[in-house]
Amino acid sequence: KNEVEQSPQNLTAQEGEFITINCSYSVGISALHWLQQHPGGGIVSLFMLSSGKKKHGRLIATINIQEKHSSLHITASHPRDSAVYICAVWVPGGGADGLTFGKGTHLIIQP
Amino acid sequence: DGGITQSPKYLFRKEGQNVTLSCEQNLNHDAMYWYRQDPGQGLRLIYYSQIVNDFQKGDIAEGYSVSREKKESFPLTVTSAQKNPTAFYLCASTPDRRAEAFFGQGTRLTVV
């Protein structure tokens, strides 16, 4: 059974700090998603990656397939980055739809 | 603009009543999904559909039912058989199972 572990579960930081959220998984995957959930509940897909690194604005996502690990970085963090960040992995043949979700990292950026 | 619309945002239901949550997408996606989110837990799959007129049970389908009569619509009915229906429900769609997923804004259901 694939397990997806995120760390930390909760993170509070000051505006401007560099943020790192980690995701580890236990079996081989085809792709990994980073999702953002705001307090209202809606979810936005930030990245989908299967190797290397992707960058979008102040957000950077990296993945190491051999080590089964991914990180989401936020540079120059801002209070509007406060949200829950969720990691999800796609496993071929894994489960009904192949997606296994982590429990999320609750990020608060204080002004 | 293309996207997924869930309605209503908040829903209250009396015990013993069925209730239907709406999910509509105009992204022309074949695959649609319903997830349930509880505090401190990851999203769990209720049902999914990869094509019109076909759907499959997910990990926690008991007490739920769905239909997929149109490509754009994938409503979820929470029946009175669902023992603990109070939760946050999210609908998602993808062009296919391995593509980036798009999520709705969710419906928070409270049974009173």
Side-chain angles (χ1 to χ4, degrees), chain B residues 43-98:
Chain B
L43 292 166
R44 293 183 291 168
L45 180 67
I46 305 172
Y47 268 98
Y48 70 104
S49 168
Q50 295 184 33
I51 198 167
V52 175
N53 292 322
D54 183 65
F55 49 82
Q56 305 295 329
K57 291 182 179 180
D59 301 318
I60 55 166
E62 185 175 350
Y64 300 98
S65 66
V66 293
S67 63
R68 187 83 186 278
E69 297 176 0
K70 299 185 298 181
K71 189 175 188 178
E72 306 79 31
S73 179
F74 191 41
L76 173 75
T77 297
V78 184
T79 75
S80 56
Q82 168 49 235
K83 295 178 181 177
N84 186 21
T86 295
F88 188 67
Y89 292 88
L90 279 157
C91 178
S93 72
T94 64
D96 63 64
R97 291 176 61 189
R98 289 168 290 181

Side-chain angles (χ1 to χ4, degrees), chain A residues 32-101:
Chain A
L32 182 143
H33 301 255
W34 280 104
L35 310 170
Q36 181 190 54
Q37 184 172 32
H38 278 281
I43 288 180
V44 174
S45 176
L46 298 174
F47 297 102
M48 186 178 77
L49 64 166
S50 54
S51 64
K53 175 180 174 179
K54 285 190 175 181
K55 184 176 187 292
H56 181 69
R58 294 180 295 105
L59 301 176
I60 303 166
T62 63
I63 187 169
N64 185 319
I65 294 293
Q66 287 74 28
E67 293 187 3
K68 297 185 175 61
H69 180 268
S70 175
S71 293
L72 176 69
H73 305 286
I74 304 175
T75 62
S77 60
H78 189 276
R80 65 175 174 265
D81 297 324
S82 298
V84 176
Y85 293 84
I86 300 170
C87 169
V89 298
W90 195 90
V91 180
D97 69 340
L99 276 176
T100 301
F101 294 84

Side-chain angles (χ1 to χ4, degrees), chain B residues 10-25:
Chain B
Y10 299 97
L11 189 57
F12 295 87
R13 189 197 91 177
K14 290 184 178 179
E15 273 193 50
Q17 290 181 339
N18 294 351
V19 62
T20 297
L21 282 57
S22 169
C23 178
E24 304 277 332
Q25 54 98 359

